[in-house]
């Protein structure tokens, strides 16, 4: 037997309806916010990710699936969606001056990480990008969309952590303060952080290494280095979240694992996830279009990990409630009534209902069991009497009530049920 690749998972028929439930909610919520879907290729030129996510990040440094194709070109399986969306927007000139692009995506992404609960090598993200507005109301819209999605799938007990990284001036000033501080504590830091502290000190704040944690805990905060513009941007985002009734926790050391962020950064966490507690995150990225050869287009977005959303739904016992079902299960008492059963099934499907009948020629009793297994709303019963009178008996499986209907009137019944 050949096993699936470590860190990948099949989505099987017995739980694909949970995925479809989430996908449908993503479609519903993005429609409410007038976001349209983008689908980009699974792989891109490696440069797309190197130039955007940042050379010093774990993603680019350690986790990318990069390979040379037969033509000698370096390609990478997409580790995230934002860089690919920006590449597509630049290439297809999706944003003419002054325009706004609201877009979403759903698909699989690849990171060579150590697999554990909630951490895979192929995982799925649902993401949204609001492209072209420098204003804090765009940040607020993105966070409102993300929280709406969580609520619509039944996740209400999440924590929204939020911080600001300010503009370039702020980050320049803070960088120096942070480098000075890290120098004082150099010997206490992990090798990775010692290497990163000169080139990219903000990455040290994102380190998960135990040796770095104490140093990070006492590090100076970027919030103390904010200039007036950055302060105002952040405060407006927070005011808008307040007015939308969205609760948040200001988290001064939240920097996120990708280099392209400025101003607002945020992350959603849930206790139901254990150590991989981040179910989604995002932030503003004003410089990414230029980094990928486009005109400036200040933007903001987020992505959620779909496997993690499902883990939370499971922990909340909500997956069980999401049973898939059929409208009608046709039950016939004798194989000689197959043609009649087939006619009834066809009429029901023509009328827009889902309808199936047994393919194993099981006993009458077993067919009832099957109807329950399929979670059928109605059992459509065909026995001697029904055949004789050209009727069907329809049993409502939840209310246990029954009606007898002329087969001539079955389509009519179906369109009213
Ligand atoms: P990210 O924080 O790297 O952000 O990923 C977003 C979410 O994807 C995480 O919170 C997590 O739920 C999920 N995720 C990441 N890696 C894995 C993994 N190995 N296994 C399972 N789930 C995982 C981004 O990717 C940014 N592009 C978000 C963004 C959009 N920022 C602006 N726009």
């Amino acid at each position: 037997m050949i096993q699936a690749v470590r860190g990948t998972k099949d989505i099987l028929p017995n739980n694909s309806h949970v995925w479809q439930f989430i996908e449908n909610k993503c479609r519903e919520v993005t429609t409410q916010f007038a976001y349209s879907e983008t689908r980009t290729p699974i792989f891109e030129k490696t440069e797309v990710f190197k130039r955007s996510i940042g050379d010093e990040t774990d993603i680019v440094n350690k986790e990318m699936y990069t390979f040379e194709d037969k033509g000698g070109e370096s390609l990478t399986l997409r580790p995230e969606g934002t860089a690919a969306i920006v590449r597509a927007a630049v290439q297809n000139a999706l944003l003419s001056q002054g325009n706004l692009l609201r877009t979403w995506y759903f698909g699989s992404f690849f990171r060579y990480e150590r697999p554990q609960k909630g951490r895979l090598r192929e995982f799925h993200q649902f993401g949204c990008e609001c492209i072209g507005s420098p204003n804090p109301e765009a940040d607020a819209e993105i966070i409102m969309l993300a929280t709406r999605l969580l609520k619509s799938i039944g996740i209400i007990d999440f924590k929204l952590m939020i911080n600001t990284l300010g503009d370039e001036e702020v980050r320049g000033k803070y960088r120096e303060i942070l480098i000075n501080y890290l120098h004082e504590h150099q010997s206490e830091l992990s090798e990775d952080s010692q290497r990163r502290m000169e080139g990219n000190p903000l990455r040290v704040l994102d380190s998960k290494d135990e040796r770095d944690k104490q140093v990070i805990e006492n590090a100076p905060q970027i919030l103390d280095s904010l200039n007036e513009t950055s302060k105002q941007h952040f405060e407006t985002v927070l005011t808008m979240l307040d007015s939308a009734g969205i609760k948040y926790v200001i988290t001064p050391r939240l920097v996120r694992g990708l280099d392209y962020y400025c101003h607002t950064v945020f992350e959603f966490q849930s206790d139901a996830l254990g150590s991989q507690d981040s179910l989604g995150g995002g932030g503003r990225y004003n410089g990414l279009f230029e980094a990928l050869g486009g005109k400036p287009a200040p933007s903001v977005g987020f992505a959620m990990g779909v496997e993690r959303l499902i883990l939370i739904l499971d922990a909340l016992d909500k997956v069980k409630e999401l049973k898939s079902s059929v409208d009608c299960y046709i039950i016939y008492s004798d194989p000689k009534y197959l043609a009649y059963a087939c006619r009834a099934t066809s009429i029901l499907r023509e009328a827009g209902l889902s309808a199936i009948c047994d393919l194993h020629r099981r006993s009458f009793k077993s067919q009832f069991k099957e109807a329950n297994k399929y979670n059928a709303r109605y059992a459509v019963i065909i026995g001697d009497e029904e055949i004789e009178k050209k009727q069907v008996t329809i049993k409502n499986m939840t209310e246990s009530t029954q009606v007898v209907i002329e087969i001539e009137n079955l389509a009519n019944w179906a369109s009213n049920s």
Side-chain angles (χ1 to χ4, degrees):
M1 180 180 60
I2 303 173
Q3 300 270 357
V5 176
R6 189 165 130 80
T8 68
K9 260 194 183 156
D10 298 309
I11 298 166
L12 296 169
N14 61 359
N15 78 341
S16 54
H17 63 284
V18 181
W19 284 78
Q20 285 163 1
F21 164 75
I22 293 180
E23 285 168 27
N24 289 340
K25 289 292 175 194
C26 292
R27 290 206 159 81
E28 247 173 66
V29 172
T30 47
T31 304
Q32 287 183 323
F33 284 74
Y35 280 60
S36 329
E37 188 181 4
T38 303
R39 299 185 193 185
T40 62
I42 296 285
F43 53 87
E44 297 274 347
K45 291 183 181 166
T46 302
E47 270 311 290
V48 170
F49 304 112
K50 273 195 149 181
R51 271 206 250 163
S52 51
I53 300 169
D55 273 338
E56 283 296 339
T57 58
D58 278 350
I59 298 180
V60 170
N61 243 334
K62 305 178 184 163
E63 296 168 2
M64 292 209 304
Y65 278 91
T66 297
F67 59 97
E68 248 184 40
D69 72 0
K70 289 195 165 47
E73 182 148 52
S74 178
L75 303 176
T76 295
L77 298 186
R78 57 185 190 184
E80 63 106 44
T82 312
I85 295 273
V86 171
R87 194 270 310 139
V90 172
Q91 180 178 340
N92 297 289
L94 296 185
L95 204 76
S96 45
Q97 204 66 40
N99 267 355
L100 194 72
L101 175 66
R102 292 179 161 107
T103 187
W104 65 274
Y105 52 93
F106 191 111
S108 48
F109 295 86
F110 306 85
R111 295 184 193 175
Y112 191 79
E113 294 195 78
R114 199 166 44 78
Q116 62 176 77
K117 189 177 165 209
R119 192 162 69 195
L120 291 139
R121 290 183 174 168
E122 184 197 24
F123 60 98
H124 294 75
Q125 281 186 351
F126 161 65
C128 290
E129 312 293 347
C130 178
I131 292 169
S133 166
N135 295 325
E137 46 271 39
D139 310 34
E141 175 175 295
I142 274 290
I143 296 173
M144 282 157 73
L145 198 169
T147 49
R148 182 90 281 286
L149 190 262
L150 290 176
K151 285 183 183 156
S152 79
I153 61 176
I155 299 177
I156 39 173
D157 198 14
F158 55 81
K159 237 191 268 163
L160 166 60
M161 328 292 276
I162 193 165
N163 190 24
T164 177
L165 302 178
D167 58 16
E168 251 176 72
E169 182 192 60
V170 170
R171 279 196 310 290
K173 190 167 123 197
Y174 178 63
R175 227 177 96 97
E176 288 192 6
I177 298 172
L178 189 58
I179 290 178
N180 285 339
Y181 169 80
L182 294 174
H183 263 299
E184 287 165 23
H185 297 272
Q186 190 162 359
S187 58
E188 300 153 52
L189 291 171
S190 66
E191 295 78 37
D192 259 1
S193 291
Q194 292 198 30
R195 190 173 43 76
R196 284 167 168 164
M197 58 180 266
E198 295 290 348
N200 199 339
L202 276 180
R203 284 277 63 82
V204 176
L205 297 186
D206 196 42
S207 165
K208 304 284 175 282
D209 195 303
E210 282 306 320
R211 287 169 289 178
D212 298 329
K213 284 203 171 142
Q214 188 67 37
V215 183
I216 296 168
E217 189 66 29
N218 299 316
Q221 300 185 2
I222 200 161
L223 287 174
D224 297 326
S225 300
L226 293 186
N227 57 19
E228 208 38 50
T229 331
S230 302
K231 209 182 280 179
Q232 252 186 29
H233 186 102
F234 194 44
E235 276 166 11
T236 312
V237 175
L238 299 183
T239 307
M240 294 192 70
L241 295 182
D242 289 335
S243 67
I246 294 172
K247 298 211 165 35
Y248 51 82
V249 183
I250 297 174
T251 311
R253 281 176 193 86
L254 179 71
V255 289
R256 309 238 327 114
L258 305 101
D259 273 354
Y260 49 59
Y261 291 119
C262 60
H263 289 290
T264 319
V265 284
F266 56 91
E267 220 160 83
F268 292 96
Q269 298 180 353
S270 163
D271 292 339
L273 283 175
S275 64
Q276 297 302 308
D277 61 358
S278 166
L279 59 111
R284 176 163 278 286
Y285 51 95
N286 288 351
L288 196 49
F289 271 76
E290 284 153 292
L292 290 176
K295 293 196 189 113
S299 307
V300 55
F302 74 87
M304 306 240 178
V306 183
E307 283 82 359
R308 294 188 188 175
L309 295 179
I310 293 176
L311 279 176
I312 300 171
L313 289 181
D314 211 8
L316 297 174
D317 250 4
K318 289 196 195 267
V319 166
K320 276 194 219 136
E321 292 166 20
L322 297 172
K323 278 195 252 167
S324 61
S325 63
V326 292
D327 297 317
C328 302
Y329 196 99
I330 290 80
I331 296 174
Y332 51 94
S333 65
D334 192 300
K336 66 180 187 249
Y337 301 148
L338 254 172
Y340 193 87
C342 183
R343 183 174 161 210
T345 316
S346 272
I347 293 172
L348 293 165
R349 289 180 187 145
E350 283 288 325
L353 297 186
S354 55
I356 49 172
C357 61
D358 182 36
L359 301 179
H360 276 305
R361 304 202 177 174
R362 271 178 267 233
S363 71
F364 202 57
K365 203 170 145 201
S366 304
Q367 291 179 58
F368 261 107
K369 275 196 195 146
E370 282 295 294
N372 277 320
K373 215 168 96 188
Y374 276 92
N375 202 18
R377 284 167 61 211
Y378 299 101
V380 178
I381 304 157
I382 299 165
D384 299 339
E385 208 178 319
E386 282 82 4
I387 294 285
E388 199 184 307
K389 296 185 177 161
K390 298 193 171 52
Q391 294 172 332
V392 291
T393 299
I394 297 175
K395 180 174 177 190
N396 184 319
M397 300 291 271
T398 38
E399 293 166 12
S400 281
T401 50
Q402 271 187 201
V403 283
V404 177
I405 303 239
E406 309 296 311
I407 193 139
E408 297 287 296
N409 293 332
L410 188 57
N412 202 14
W413 170 86
S415 48
N416 293 320
S417 65

